[in-house]
Amino acid sequence: MAVERYTFPFTAIVGQDRMKMALVLNAINPAIGGVLIRGEKGTAKSTAVRALARLLPDQVVVDGCHFGCHPEDLETLCSQCRDRLNDGENPLPTATRRMRVVELPINASEDRVVGTIDLEAALKEGSKRFEPGVLAEANRNILYVDEVNLLDDHIVDVLLDAAAMGVNVVEREGVSVMHPARFILVGTMNPEEGELRPQLLDRFGLCVDVEGIRDLDQRVKIVEERASWEDDPAGFYEQHGPAEDEVRGRIAEGIATFPEVDLPRQILRLIAQLSITLEVDGHRSDLVCARAAQAKAAYDRAGSVEVSHVTGVAEMVYSHRIRQVPFGKAAPALGEVITRIVSA
Ligand SMILES: [Zn+2]
């Protein structure tokens, strides 16, 4: 508890607004598909992710379940919770837990990621003994993958498949175990250390590029804030308490209200136009953009998605999906291009 209490507050992170917003939007609707944060070292990436976890609402889980199954979401229950239900534990007992950040070790094996079935126990005792992996821990939490570009391609595929399906199925010699694996995937990479395959890039819902802050006053502020936090973490946290509560409240509200936020047809047409003009392959970008704009509207407490919500998220949706910015050789920044398309 003590360690958690002294996580650097989300709202005290200087600058990096786009990165913070991308994280918040995924917290509101994890179906956006996670976020890839590209940038050099020392740009508050992991601090922001840890700080976000503190702002997320507690969850109701099935008591005693390894995977933190949602007791009311019967469709996604793990094999064990299903067995418990069938054995008459109905309703399943509940508990609450705090959301947390699960970190994927850089050299994790596939077994470590998906978990393993103890075949010997299965044969001897006829029981399914399952050693849960990272995906089990990550269910309904944040899965943080530092330096995702340095991971084995195969492991990245496994991760992204689970993220897309929302479930992890492990099969060995006719024995199979299934559990939900819905998580907010946050990957980071330093592009100087190698690129990510384009097929994998596209599977991250959002992408933000973070840079070290060049503004003099902001740089000074970073040092000052850091110093006063290290000096008195409790006092520093208390000082930022009201701002933290504000964001926490808006995220909780957003989670509850985003499905009701209206997505007018002309907004969907605008999004389709963006995808066409930016020459994006496939339809994933349209879906992600609609979801992200809807989550942004919910965060802004709007009842309907407006053009400003689309422009507020478009760069995060398209930056990793375009081959190059259209409109000639002196390519303008993507943000400018988006503004041009939207106002055309
Ligand atoms: Zn379960």
Side-chain angles (χ1 to χ4, degrees):
M1 191 65 203
V3 174
E4 229 182 352
R5 205 161 102 210
Y6 297 142
T7 308
F8 193 81
F10 191 73
T11 53
I13 296 168
V14 177
Q16 315 297 11
D17 294 338
R18 193 167 295 171
M19 168 175 70
K20 287 189 276 184
M21 185 48 66
L23 290 170
V24 164
L25 297 178
N26 273 284
I28 290 175
N29 183 6
I32 288 170
V35 53
L36 176 65
I37 306 171
R38 294 191 292 205
E40 54 206 82
K41 281 199 183 300
T43 37
K45 296 182 289 233
S46 72
T47 307
V49 176
R50 267 160 236 295
L52 173 78
R54 276 196 57 100
L55 299 182
L56 302 180
D58 284 352
Q59 301 173 325
V60 179
V61 296
V62 174
D63 195 19
C65 172
H66 284 305
F67 315 105
C69 282
H70 193 306
E72 276 151 34
D73 199 353
L74 299 181
E75 296 273 293
T76 69
L77 288 181
C78 71
S79 321
Q80 283 162 350
C81 284
R82 272 168 214 265
D83 290 347
R84 285 169 70 181
L85 259 187
N86 292 336
D87 291 344
E89 256 191 277
N90 194 355
L92 290 162
T94 62
T96 54
R97 71 170 189 187
R98 163 161 279 182
M99 268 182 97
R100 61 194 192 93
V101 180
V102 175
E103 206 163 325
L104 182 80
I106 184 83
N107 48 12
S109 64
E110 180 172 356
D111 278 356
R112 177 77 191 88
V113 174
V114 301
T116 49
I117 295 171
D118 183 347
L119 267 187
E120 225 172 296
L123 293 174
K124 263 192 209 150
E125 307 155 21
S127 68
K128 290 179 191 172
R129 197 176 293 164
F130 180 63
E131 185 65 46
V134 173
L135 289 177
E137 281 179 71
N139 185 41
R140 301 178 69 202
N141 284 315
I142 297 170
L143 180 58
Y144 182 70
V145 187
D146 200 16
E147 312 213 59
V148 65
N149 53 331
L150 304 185
L151 270 188
D152 186 69
D153 279 352
H154 175 61
I155 298 290
V156 180
D157 280 334
V158 168
L159 279 182
L160 291 171
D161 278 342
M165 310 268 291
V167 53
N168 178 37
V169 183
V170 187
E171 276 174 323
R172 246 190 101 192
E173 320 225 350
V175 182
S176 91
V177 171
M178 190 188 82
H179 69 79
R182 291 171 192 271
F183 47 84
I184 300 170
L185 181 65
V186 180
T188 72
M189 62 178 276
N190 182 350
E192 286 168 13
E193 288 168 356
E195 284 301 331
L196 205 56
R197 281 183 288 151
Q199 311 92 288
L200 296 183
L201 264 181
D202 174 60
R203 294 180 61 177
F204 278 94
L206 306 179
C207 176
V208 288
D209 292 291
V210 293
E211 286 178 354
I213 289 170
R214 314 264 178 251
D215 181 80
L216 195 123
D217 290 335
Q218 285 205 328
R219 286 187 83 105
V220 173
K221 197 171 172 211
I222 290 174
V223 176
E224 284 173 347
E225 297 262 90
R226 205 76 202 178
S228 69
W229 178 61
E230 276 165 21
D231 200 37
D232 174 16
F236 188 76
Y237 209 88
E238 204 176 301
Q239 189 194 325
H240 288 273
E244 292 284 286
D245 286 343
E246 160 77 11
V247 177
R248 183 181 289 118
R250 287 171 72 152
I251 291 174
E253 224 179 281
I255 291 170
T257 59
F258 86 82
E260 315 300 328
V261 173
D262 190 35
L263 255 170
R265 197 177 166 82
Q266 74 262 29
I267 290 290
L268 293 175
R269 290 184 64 90
L270 173 67
I271 292 171
Q273 189 59 55
L274 275 172
S275 298
I276 292 166
T277 313
L278 293 170
E279 297 176 21
V280 182
D281 294 329
H283 298 274
R284 197 194 301 272
S285 59
D286 297 43
L287 198 62
V288 172
C289 194
R291 284 177 179 160
Q294 195 181 33
K296 178 81 170 73
Y299 186 75
D300 291 347
R301 299 184 170 129
S304 178
V305 178
E306 287 157 27
V307 174
S308 63
H309 301 127
V310 177
T311 49
V313 302
E315 237 182 294
M316 305 175 194
V317 175
Y318 292 104
S319 67
H320 57 310
R321 294 194 163 94
I322 51 172
R323 266 161 269 143
Q324 63 184 71
V325 176
F327 298 125
K329 288 186 194 104
L334 178 59
E336 276 173 53
V337 174
I338 288 167
T339 312
R340 245 191 258 183
I341 299 168
V342 169
S343 51

